[in-house]
Structures are given as C-alpha cells and as structure tokens.
C-alpha cells in the first residue's frame, strides 16, 4: 500500500514564504479534498509536488515509496507512480493526445525496465478506446493536438484521461488555470468517481465549497495561509458550505495567539 507523506513542508516563491509547514498523508484507496480560499497556497503545494523550479522548498520532506521525492526530477516522480496534473501544461505542436499518452506510457515502462519495447500499438489503441468509453469521452478527442486550442474543460479532460491510462497510485488534481472552477471540478470529479478504488489515492484541490455536489471525499482538509488548519470527513465540507471560512480564521488566530 503506497502513501504520499508530506512532512512539515515549507515553500517560498520569490523569497516569500507561502507554505508554512504542511503535513498531509494520502494513501492508495483514499480520496482527499484540499479546500481553502484563493491565495492560501493550494496550487503552490501542487506545483511543489510536481517539482516546478519556481517553488523553493526551504524545509520539510515528501516521502513516497521510500524516497524523498523532492530530490527527484519531475519525470522520476511520475515514473514512481505519482500523477501530477499539469506536468505538461503547454501545447505540443503536432502531438496528438493519443501519441502523447503512448509516449507517457512507454516512458514509464522504460523507467521500470530499460529493455522494454513499448506498448504494442494495437494493445494501446484497444486500451485507449476502453478507457475513453469508461470515461464517456468521444473517441475523436484522442486525435486532437494536445492542448492546442483546448478549452479549460478540455484540458481537464486530457488530464483525467492521462490519469486513467497511466494508472498512478497517487494522483494530485488541481483546479488551476482551468477556466471555470465549477466546470473543472465537475470533470475531475466525474473522472475520480469513475476511477476511484483500492489502487488509487487522490488529492483533489479546489476552493469550491459545494464540492459534495460532485464528489464524496473520504477526507477533507482546509488550508488557510499556508497551513492545513482543519481536517475531517465529508461533513467538514458540509460545515464549510454552511459557515464559510471565518470560524476557522478565528480559531487559527486564537491558536496562534496561544
Ligand atoms: P491558491 O491555489 O490556494 O489559490 P496559490 O498557491 O496559487 O493559492 O497562491 C498562494 C500565494 O502565493 C499567493 O499570494 C500567490 O500570489 C503566490 N504565488 C503563487 N505562485 C506564485 C508565483 N509563481 N509567482 C509569484 N507568486 C506566486
Ligand atoms: Mg489554486
């Protein structure tokens, strides 16, 4: 059973500390929602986990399968079984969604076995079709050029498809840059609801408070000002929907003032 273990993570962007000691464990088979108002550091956590160079880790560790992944390159993190949406955020001219996915699968296979010849094309085609059917996606989507002219929703669909074919053990899905938050959350949630099971652990990041309309997380965490200040079950999302974040701001201010 794999788990992603984030320990006392501190991260600075352009010299300013954004994450101020984040602790979080996501295990295979669990769906976690990370919530919190805009600007509290949720995306900073996602970018840091994927190894984006602008995010400077000043303290802390992130363990996965016996390795501190902060010491690994982004592709090594992926080959280990972590899926981080936006690993390939840019449009790649002339590369179809299908070809991109096949390259990603083959890179992962070669990381496990350098002699691997790659997934046979017929097997890949069959698997891709089955996966798209499972996700109720139009097959023509696979022949589109990756991210070229994609709407926010289509980018999300590409990410969900990538997650589905790569079969990661732990996936982190952020809502960033996705246009309408609610559309993105709906697409990600449908994908996660379809794919969730004992082999997949997911961290869904959103600031959308009515998340329970879309997904029922096993755990909910609330981030405020660079820290997770409250964790609970799905009922925490319900409480948030009714009461907003103010009660937490007061609570964490009290805790900080002793
Ligand atoms: P959230 O995802 O919770 O809305 P972010 O992680 O995007 O929050 O942002 C947290 C804080 O870090 C914000 O004040 C934001 O301006 C700052 N920040 C995040 N990324 C960058 C960046 N690449 N350059 C400069 N500031 C950033
Ligand atoms: Mg964000």
């Amino acid at each position: 059973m794999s788990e992603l273990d984030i320990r006392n993570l501190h991260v600075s962007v352009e010299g300013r500390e954004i994450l101020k000691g984040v602790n979080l464990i996501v295990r295979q088979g669990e769906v976690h929602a990370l919530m919190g108002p805009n600007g509290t550091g949720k995306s900073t956590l996602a970018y840091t986990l994927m190894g984006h160079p602008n995010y400077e880790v000043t303290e802390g560790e992130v363990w996965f399968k016996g390795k501190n992944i902060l010491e690994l390159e982004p592709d090594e993190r992926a080959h280990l079984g972590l899926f981080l949406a936006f690993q390939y955020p840019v449009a790649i001219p002339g590369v179809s969604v299908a070809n991109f996915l096949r390259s990603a699968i083959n890179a992962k296979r070669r990381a496990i076995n350098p002699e691997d010849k790659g997934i046979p094309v017929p097997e890949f085609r069959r698997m891709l079709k089955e996966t798209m059917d499972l996700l109720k996606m139009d097959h023509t989507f696979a022949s589109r050029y990756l991210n070229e002219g994609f709407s926010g929703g289509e980018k999300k669909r590409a990410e969900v498809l990538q997650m589905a074919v790569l079969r990661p053990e732990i996936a982190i899905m952020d809502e960033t840059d996705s246009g309408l938050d609610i559309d993105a959350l709906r697409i990600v949630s449908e994908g996660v609801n379809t794919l969730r099971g004992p082999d997949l652990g997911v961290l869904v990041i959103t600031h959308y408070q009515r998340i329970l309309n879309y997904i029922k997380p096993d755990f909910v965490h609330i981030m405020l000002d660079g820290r997770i200040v409250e964790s609970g079950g799905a009922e925490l999302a319900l409480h948030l929907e009714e009461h907003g974040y103010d009660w937490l701001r007061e609570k964490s201010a009290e805790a900080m003032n002793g």
Side-chain angles (χ1 to χ4, degrees):
M1 179 72 62
S2 305
E3 61 180 43
L4 181 71
D5 183 357
I6 303 168
R7 297 184 193 162
N8 189 32
L9 188 64
H10 291 249
V11 174
S12 292
V13 182
E14 291 169 0
R16 187 159 72 94
E17 185 169 63
I18 307 293
L19 297 187
K20 302 170 181 172
V22 172
N23 294 287
L24 179 63
I25 298 179
V26 179
R27 296 184 181 85
Q28 255 180 311
E30 299 174 347
V31 175
H32 293 245
L34 179 65
M35 306 179 69
N38 276 326
T40 52
K42 303 183 299 297
S43 295
T44 299
L45 177 63
Y47 280 116
T48 304
L49 293 175
M50 81 176 73
H52 192 291
N54 289 1
Y55 296 79
E56 190 201 346
V57 176
T58 55
E59 209 180 322
E61 293 158 5
V62 179
W63 289 88
F64 183 61
K65 291 190 177 172
K67 291 189 170 136
N68 180 5
I69 62 154
L70 299 177
E71 291 162 2
L72 303 179
E73 295 300 320
D75 62 328
E76 294 174 315
R77 302 177 193 201
H79 299 154
L80 208 56
L82 263 189
F83 178 80
L84 302 148
F86 312 116
Q87 276 167 137
Y88 309 96
V90 291
I92 309 178
V95 175
S96 67
V97 171
N99 279 334
F100 166 76
L101 292 173
R102 195 154 62 88
S103 309
I105 289 169
N106 287 340
K108 193 171 173 182
R109 286 167 66 124
R110 252 177 254 118
I112 296 162
N113 171 18
E115 310 278 286
D116 190 276
K117 298 277 187 295
I119 184 170
V121 174
E123 185 188 328
F124 171 73
R125 289 219 182 99
R126 194 177 343 114
M127 186 270 280
L128 184 58
K129 252 172 93 177
E130 282 169 10
T131 309
M132 294 185 92
D133 287 342
L134 181 72
L135 295 168
K136 299 188 176 66
M137 284 185 192
D138 195 314
H139 290 181
T140 57
F141 187 66
S143 48
R144 299 267 310 270
Y145 291 131
L146 186 74
N147 286 348
E148 221 171 271
F150 275 17
S151 67
E154 286 168 336
K155 282 184 187 166
K156 277 291 150 195
R157 259 182 243 288
E159 282 172 17
V160 168
L161 184 59
Q162 194 189 343
M163 170 168 77
V165 301
L166 286 177
R167 300 169 192 270
E169 284 146 56
I170 305 287
I172 291 135
M173 308 293 285
D174 189 8
E175 69 188 3
T176 338
D177 299 338
S178 52
L180 285 173
D181 298 334
I182 189 57
D183 254 13
L185 181 61
R186 187 175 53 77
I187 291 163
V188 167
S189 300
E190 281 169 7
V192 169
N193 288 335
T194 305
L195 301 171
R196 70 194 291 178
D199 295 334
L200 178 66
V202 191
L203 179 64
V204 177
I205 301 179
T206 185
H207 75 241
Y208 189 72
Q209 291 189 23
R210 304 183 80 179
I211 185 173
L212 296 178
N213 290 349
Y214 299 91
I215 199 166
K216 190 160 182 288
D218 304 302
F219 302 95
V220 173
H221 312 275
I222 303 175
M223 185 178 271
L224 274 187
D225 193 25
R227 288 186 189 89
I228 291 175
V229 297
E230 193 83 16
S231 293
E235 77 287 345
L236 184 55
L238 198 64
H239 190 83
L240 208 62
E241 207 176 289
E242 283 168 26
H243 303 281
Y245 292 107
D246 285 349
W247 61 284
L248 274 169
R249 287 199 179 88
E250 285 157 23
K251 199 173 148 181
S252 67
E254 273 168 29
M256 273 169 109
N257 296 332

Short mmCIF file of all heavy atoms in Angstrom, two decimals, residues 2 11 24 57 82-83 90 131-132 138 196 208 247 251:
data_model
loop_
_atom_site.label_atom_id
_atom_site.label_comp_id
_atom_site.label_asym_id
_atom_site.label_seq_id
_atom_site.Cartn_x
_atom_site.Cartn_y
_atom_site.Cartn_z
N SER A 2 0.85 2.03 -1.07
CA SER A 2 1.69 3.24 -1.14
C SER A 2 1.00 4.42 -0.48
O SER A 2 -0.23 4.49 -0.45
CB SER A 2 1.97 3.62 -2.59
OG SER A 2 2.53 2.54 -3.28
N VAL A 11 7.51 26.23 1.77
CA VAL A 11 7.86 26.59 0.39
C VAL A 11 7.80 28.10 0.21
O VAL A 11 6.86 28.76 0.68
CB VAL A 11 6.90 25.91 -0.62
CG1 VAL A 11 7.18 26.38 -2.04
CG2 VAL A 11 7.03 24.39 -0.54
N LEU A 24 0.53 16.18 5.59
CA LEU A 24 -0.62 15.51 4.98
C LEU A 24 -0.19 14.13 4.47
O LEU A 24 0.89 14.00 3.90
CB LEU A 24 -1.12 16.35 3.79
CG LEU A 24 -2.31 15.83 2.99
CD1 LEU A 24 -3.56 15.74 3.83
CD2 LEU A 24 -2.57 16.75 1.79
N VAL A 57 11.67 24.81 -1.87
CA VAL A 57 11.41 24.11 -0.60
C VAL A 57 12.49 24.53 0.38
O VAL A 57 13.67 24.32 0.15
CB VAL A 57 11.42 22.59 -0.79
CG1 VAL A 57 11.24 21.88 0.55
CG2 VAL A 57 10.34 22.16 -1.77
N LEU A 82 3.41 8.54 -9.19
CA LEU A 82 2.70 9.75 -8.77
C LEU A 82 2.15 10.41 -10.03
O LEU A 82 2.86 10.53 -11.02
CB LEU A 82 3.68 10.74 -8.17
CG LEU A 82 3.88 10.83 -6.68
CD1 LEU A 82 4.73 12.06 -6.41
CD2 LEU A 82 2.57 10.93 -5.93
N PHE A 83 0.92 10.86 -9.97
CA PHE A 83 0.40 11.62 -11.10
C PHE A 83 0.12 13.04 -10.66
O PHE A 83 -0.61 13.28 -9.71
CB PHE A 83 -0.89 11.00 -11.64
CG PHE A 83 -1.46 11.79 -12.76
CD1 PHE A 83 -0.96 11.65 -14.04
CD2 PHE A 83 -2.47 12.70 -12.54
CE1 PHE A 83 -1.46 12.40 -15.09
CE2 PHE A 83 -2.99 13.45 -13.59
CZ PHE A 83 -2.48 13.30 -14.86
N VAL A 90 1.90 22.84 -21.46
CA VAL A 90 1.91 23.62 -22.70
C VAL A 90 1.36 22.82 -23.87
O VAL A 90 1.29 21.60 -23.84
CB VAL A 90 3.35 24.09 -23.04
CG1 VAL A 90 3.80 25.12 -22.03
CG2 VAL A 90 4.32 22.92 -23.09
N THR A 131 -10.68 2.92 -22.19
CA THR A 131 -10.59 3.95 -21.16
C THR A 131 -11.50 5.13 -21.49
O THR A 131 -12.18 5.67 -20.62
CB THR A 131 -9.13 4.43 -21.00
OG1 THR A 131 -8.30 3.29 -20.84
CG2 THR A 131 -8.99 5.34 -19.81
N MET A 132 -11.52 5.52 -22.76
CA MET A 132 -12.37 6.64 -23.16
C MET A 132 -13.85 6.29 -23.01
O MET A 132 -14.66 7.13 -22.64
CB MET A 132 -12.04 7.08 -24.58
CG MET A 132 -10.64 7.67 -24.69
SD MET A 132 -10.29 8.31 -26.33
CE MET A 132 -10.80 10.01 -26.08
N ASP A 138 -15.63 11.19 -26.07
CA ASP A 138 -15.71 11.00 -27.51
C ASP A 138 -14.34 10.54 -28.02
O ASP A 138 -13.33 11.15 -27.69
CB ASP A 138 -16.09 12.34 -28.14
CG ASP A 138 -16.56 12.18 -29.56
OD1 ASP A 138 -15.87 11.45 -30.32
OD2 ASP A 138 -17.59 12.76 -29.91
N ARG A 196 -11.98 5.82 -8.97
CA ARG A 196 -11.61 5.57 -7.57
C ARG A 196 -11.75 4.08 -7.23
O ARG A 196 -12.59 3.39 -7.77
CB ARG A 196 -12.39 6.46 -6.60
CG ARG A 196 -13.85 6.16 -6.44
CD ARG A 196 -14.60 7.30 -5.73
NE ARG A 196 -14.24 7.43 -4.32
CZ ARG A 196 -14.74 8.38 -3.50
NH1 ARG A 196 -15.59 9.28 -3.97
NH2 ARG A 196 -14.39 8.44 -2.25
N TYR A 208 -13.86 25.43 -4.33
CA TYR A 208 -15.30 25.43 -4.50
C TYR A 208 -15.97 24.74 -3.31
O TYR A 208 -15.75 23.55 -3.06
CB TYR A 208 -15.66 24.72 -5.80
CG TYR A 208 -17.11 24.87 -6.17
CD1 TYR A 208 -17.58 26.10 -6.61
CD2 TYR A 208 -17.98 23.82 -6.06
CE1 TYR A 208 -18.92 26.26 -6.93
CE2 TYR A 208 -19.31 23.96 -6.38
CZ TYR A 208 -19.77 25.19 -6.82
OH TYR A 208 -21.09 25.34 -7.13
N TRP A 247 -15.05 31.05 10.75
CA TRP A 247 -14.89 30.37 12.03
C TRP A 247 -13.49 29.76 12.16
O TRP A 247 -12.94 29.70 13.25
CB TRP A 247 -15.95 29.28 12.20
CG TRP A 247 -15.89 28.19 11.16
CD1 TRP A 247 -16.33 28.28 9.88
CD2 TRP A 247 -15.34 26.88 11.31
NE1 TRP A 247 -16.09 27.11 9.20
CE2 TRP A 247 -15.49 26.22 10.06
CE3 TRP A 247 -14.76 26.19 12.37
CZ2 TRP A 247 -15.06 24.92 9.84
CZ3 TRP A 247 -14.34 24.87 12.14
CH2 TRP A 247 -14.49 24.26 10.89
N LYS A 251 -10.54 30.65 14.76
CA LYS A 251 -9.96 29.55 15.52
C LYS A 251 -8.44 29.50 15.39
O LYS A 251 -7.72 29.34 16.38
CB LYS A 251 -10.56 28.24 14.99
CG LYS A 251 -10.43 27.07 15.93
CD LYS A 251 -11.20 25.88 15.38
CE LYS A 251 -10.50 24.60 15.80
NZ LYS A 251 -11.15 23.40 15.31
#
